[in-house]
Amino acid sequence: MSVPRHHLLLLVRLAATLGGADAIDRLLSPGALTLLDGVPGEDLEDTRSLLEFVLPPSCTISSSSRIVAEGPDLVVIRPTLSDGRMSDYAQREFRRDVVAALQTPAPVLILQPPGAALPEGLPAAGMTRIPYAPLDRDVLLAVLRVSHGGPDGLDEGALRAALPPDAVLADLGPLPLALALRAREAEEVVARLARVAEPAAPAPSTPTHPSQASHAVLQPSLDDFTGDAPALLAARQIAADLQAWRAGQIRWHELSRSLLLYGPPGSGKTWLARAIGHTVGMPVIAATFGAWQAAGHLGDMLREMRKSFADARAKAPSLLVIDEIDSVGSREDRTSQNASYRRQVVNACLTELDSIAQHEGAIVIGTCNDPDAIDPAILRPGRIDRTVAMPLPDSAALQGILRHHLPDWPEADLLELARSAVGVSAAAVDAAIRQARTEARVHGRALLPADLHAVLAPAFDDHDAWGVALYECGHALVCAALRLGPVHRIRLGRRGGGMTFVDPIPGSVSLSRLRDEMAQLLAGRAAEAVVLGAVSTGAGGGRTSDLAQATALATGIHARHGLGAYGPVWLEDAEKILLLDPALRRQVRQDLEAAEARARAILVANRDILESMAHALLSAREMDAEAIRPWLEHVRPVTSEGESDPCRADEPQAPDEDSATA
């Protein structure tokens, strides 16, 4: 009997999905409920029909849940799709069929396509979930043995070597696959698949000069990244664990199976997440909350969310990357607007994260700019195992990005460009290279380092940069003097400003610790006063500015933490009270002035280190932990009134007469 090759392919995948006799016995055991997850929507009917060739010959199968008299050995339920989606009517019918089937003693098999949602309330605990076997080299070779194998068999070793990777095969659509299987010879089938998997050739107008040729890789790899940033180390660890799991060296429950990367736009979060999957040869399912929400109303949005998670389960081992995951919101948001919508979205996301956590082979990586906007239940371990910051790339990472695009350029040129680009996002570097290449083409010449330097050079002069360098080094020195935690990075910004990155020491926060933190926040302002003789507006600005944070700490001491003028009292609108209560405002100002005076005393005692370190930062534009350590090791502590003393108990300040009567 001649079997259509598409049916033969489905039959092999179905056999690979259900496994051996033991698995089929569990499927057919009385009262069993099994979910076949990820069956392509266009293959639902054929999969149902082919089950009889995989199950024992005596097994009777029914597609109807209205069982009468003698029941079948297996009830198979599948949803009805229209254009790959379930209508509201189809969703209700699907639920009715599942409920009716579960009321019978027969075992039940649900065929679940990626675009359909399971009926709400279906308990996962009593259900066995089996992922539909993806298309891979083993499946294809099994098909070719039957469809193209002659009396002499096939050279399976050569065919396997010529086939695209499993991750590429799993993403193939039905059309290129059907076209490939029409070939008469197995070698031609493989050759057609290999051609489909090849990246598109460059257009004839694309420059061919080595310095202008595009070396961008469509599939990012962790080898494209350099440095030892925490996010990169976490990504490498996940990749190493996945490779060990696939080799059978560790079990699935020993892996970290989810990660949240957060940081400013353009820092490369999505690129790094995708690189994990491509490094280990796993299919990457890309999703965004924005795309889900663009599908339409709440039901449409939830359907698209569930489809992405279902795709990840169906293609396991796989990696699901969810961008803009902070758009999920939080049920703790007190605003009444859209509260019901937000609650349903969060609950649906929690359900999907719980479901995929139980599915062996599926990794979830979320990316966002604002992790504080995410519901705490989503961020708990087991749903999101680890949260790692991904700031803008440092000079080492920038040098790696430039090397990736410009592999023929001397390292000295790349290093100089990387230093001038500190503070630029990975996306902005890509855009700058494209812009510089365009300018070079307009002038009919190759791309030169000067072209890129003109685009990437900082936008503020050395005088302003000197003030910023003093400001940031002041933060670092006071942090070291007060032992608030190791400083692991300092960098100058592009258009003014800079950043000092500190790893805070965990533990309870005492009154003295709060005063130390205020001094550290005001240390940049103090450094300007010590060296330049005047302060700038750099400490002020928005709610995230140093002055705003220091003011919030001082206000919190008195109005929120129960450590100051109001005694053991918590006041909800502390900022409003600060505006209306002159006594509290006077107390906060005194605390801030005392903190700045402490910082100034420390910096006066270490002025030589402050200025030398600032000159080094101005030259390099960035310093990592190794470069910072020699400077901070020689910081001289200063004992002054109000400084932290671990041997002294922290006592709340007694309110003065004004504050007592205010």
Side-chain angles (χ1 to χ4, degrees), residues 14 21 38 148 227-229 350 404 448 484 499 506 532 599 603:
L14 189 56
H148 292 75
D228 58 355
L350 291 174
H404 171 71
L448 300 174
L484 291 174
M499 288 291 291
L532 303 178
L603 295 175

Side-chain angles (χ1 to χ4, degrees), residues 69-230:
E70 296 182 3
D73 295 314
L74 180 68
V75 177
V76 180
I77 304 296
R78 63 188 184 278
T80 300
L81 302 184
S82 176
D83 295 329
R85 299 182 176 183
M86 289 182 67
S87 65
D88 292 341
Y89 174 78
Q91 183 73 50
R92 290 193 297 270
E93 286 293 294
F94 184 36
R95 177 180 176 80
R96 188 182 68 174
D97 288 345
V98 171
V99 171
L102 292 177
Q103 291 172 348
T104 72
V108 176
L109 174 64
I110 301 175
L111 304 183
Q112 178 75 359
L118 285 173
E120 292 186 9
L122 189 64
M127 179 171 56
T128 300
R129 188 186 295 266
I130 303 177
Y132 192 65
L135 178 65
D136 59 17
R137 285 172 286 193
D138 289 335
V139 168
L140 270 174
L141 288 173
V143 171
L144 293 176
R145 284 189 209 109
V146 178
S147 62
H148 292 75
D152 298 329
L154 301 172
D155 185 355
E156 294 192 17
L159 293 175
R160 182 182 292 274
L163 279 169
D166 289 347
V168 175
L169 291 174
D171 284 335
L172 280 180
L175 288 179
L177 186 58
L179 180 61
L181 288 174
R182 288 173 60 88
R184 290 181 174 272
E185 302 295 333
E187 291 77 10
E188 179 58 23
V189 173
V190 172
R192 290 183 181 184
L193 292 174
R195 285 195 295 271
V196 170
E198 289 176 356
S205 59
T206 301
T208 57
H209 189 280
S211 64
Q212 291 181 290
S214 173
H215 294 274
V217 179
L218 295 178
Q219 310 292 356
S221 168
L222 291 178
D223 294 335
D224 300 331
F225 294 81
T226 58
D228 58 355

